Amino acid sequence: MHILLTRPLEDCSEMILKFKSLGHQVSHIPLLNIEKVNYEEIKFSEYGGIIFTSANAVKYLDQNNIDKNIKCFCVGNLTEKKARSSGFQNTVAAEGNVSNLKELILQTYETKSKKLLYVSGEIISVDLDQQLMKEGYGIKRVINYRVKHNQKFNESFVKDLKLNMPDMVYIYSQNSAQSFLSFVKNHQFESLWMNTNLSCIGEKTSSILNEIKWKKIFLFNPGEEEFLLYKI
């Protein structure tokens, strides 16, 4: 099977090796660039927990003065894995979406406890901090990275892709979906995806790509990529 992965290389290198070991052909097109954003110094002692809605939020957080036993609420398993690899000991993970993360916090963190620190990218799909404030939580949002869309792609890669269209494409965010749609339109091959399956995280992400005709559209959570291959 021919699989197209779209995350930055450092985020999907293990998956590339895994799929290749299973005998699949893997193409890779990084749709987004991630950049660190400078932010004001954080007094971590003021907070009783940290919320991470992406692995990038963990990656770009200055961790020099953090007690690594602080409670960490992670949106999914991949984010929790990144937090654990960064030394955080007290982590819990939701099931890959912000709604589940909110419920996890409501069920396990007392509103009377210390404030929560919410670390995120510049653009978010759900205003989790505002929702938690309405529930009575003290919370501060810190933006520590931004996403930029790739504008230039290797022309030989595009040519080869048109000649050998993938059987499966994985899209991980609304930002990635917008970037992928622009990529397809700019290179004028909107009509070539009818035998390709699209896998997206969430309906909002997949809806952006509905104007392209796909063989089938699947929704998935991070970690389910290999499982999806057995459904097509």
Side-chain angles (χ1 to χ4, degrees):
M1 188 179 298
H2 183 193
I3 300 165
L4 179 62
L5 298 178
T6 61
R7 302 182 79 192
L9 184 59
E10 64 182 294
D11 294 331
C12 64
S13 57
E14 291 184 10
M15 194 175 302
I16 290 173
L17 293 174
K18 173 67 173 179
F19 284 157
K20 285 185 174 180
S21 72
L22 294 172
H24 301 295
Q25 177 188 352
V26 181
S27 295
H28 175 242
I29 177 172
L31 296 171
L32 305 173
N33 288 318
I34 312 298
E35 294 183 353
K36 182 176 181 178
V37 171
N38 293 324
Y39 54 88
E40 64 185 37
E41 185 177 352
I42 301 169
K43 294 181 180 179
F44 290 103
S45 60
E46 296 180 356
Y47 301 94
I50 303 179
I51 302 169
F52 293 122
T53 49
S54 72
N56 285 315
V58 182
K59 177 181 177 180
Y60 291 107
L61 181 66
D62 183 355
Q63 302 173 19
N64 291 332
N65 299 312
I66 303 177
D67 178 358
K68 291 299 181 70
N69 288 312
I70 191 171
K71 185 84 169 182
C72 292
F73 295 94
C74 303
V75 70
N77 293 331
L78 290 180
T79 302
E80 183 183 32
K81 182 179 178 181
K82 182 65 176 179
R84 299 287 293 185
S85 69
S86 297
F88 291 101
Q89 302 297 315
N90 189 10
T91 64
V92 290
E95 298 176 359
N97 65 67
V98 177
S99 295
N100 289 335
L101 180 60
K102 176 187 173 183
E103 288 303 315
L104 179 63
I105 294 168
L106 292 177
Q107 293 171 14
T108 62
Y109 196 82
E110 292 290 338
T111 56
K112 294 181 181 179
S113 299
K114 283 185 175 181
K115 292 187 298 182
L116 288 166
L117 180 67
Y118 173 32
V119 187
S120 73
E122 194 172 46
I123 298 174
I124 55 176
S125 57
V126 179
D127 57 348
L128 178 61
D129 54 334
Q130 299 300 315
Q131 292 185 24
L132 289 173
M133 283 181 186
K134 291 177 181 178
E135 298 288 348
Y137 288 89
I139 187 166
K140 178 179 175 62
R141 181 183 171 202
V142 171
I143 297 169
N144 68 343
Y145 73 93
R146 67 169 57 95
V147 173
K148 288 193 172 182
H149 296 269
N150 276 341
Q151 301 294 332
K152 295 182 180 180
F153 299 96
N154 184 286
E155 290 301 322
S156 62
F157 170 84
V158 175
K159 182 178 179 180
D160 290 342
L161 191 66
K162 286 183 178 181
L163 294 173
N164 182 20
M165 294 296 289
D167 301 294
M168 176 74 87
V169 179
Y170 291 96
I171 303 291
Y172 285 80
S173 68
Q174 293 175 58
N175 270 326
S176 293
Q178 292 284 4
S179 186
F180 188 77
L181 184 61
S182 296
F183 164 74
V184 170
K185 288 185 173 181
N186 289 342
H187 292 89
Q188 300 178 337
F189 60 127
E190 296 96 321
S191 63
L192 301 181
W193 302 90
M194 288 185 289
N195 293 315
T196 299
N197 296 282
L198 173 67
S199 294
C200 292
I201 293 183
E203 291 184 7
K204 289 183 179 179
T205 299
S206 67
S207 66
I208 294 169
L209 296 168
N210 278 344
E211 62 184 273
I212 298 175
K213 291 185 178 180
W214 303 92
K215 184 176 181 180
K216 287 184 180 179
I217 297 177
F218 299 94
L219 302 181
F220 75 103
N221 292 318
E224 298 176 348
E225 291 89 345
E226 183 181 348
F227 171 74
L228 282 180
L229 296 181
Y230 301 105
K231 297 179 68 173
I232 65 174

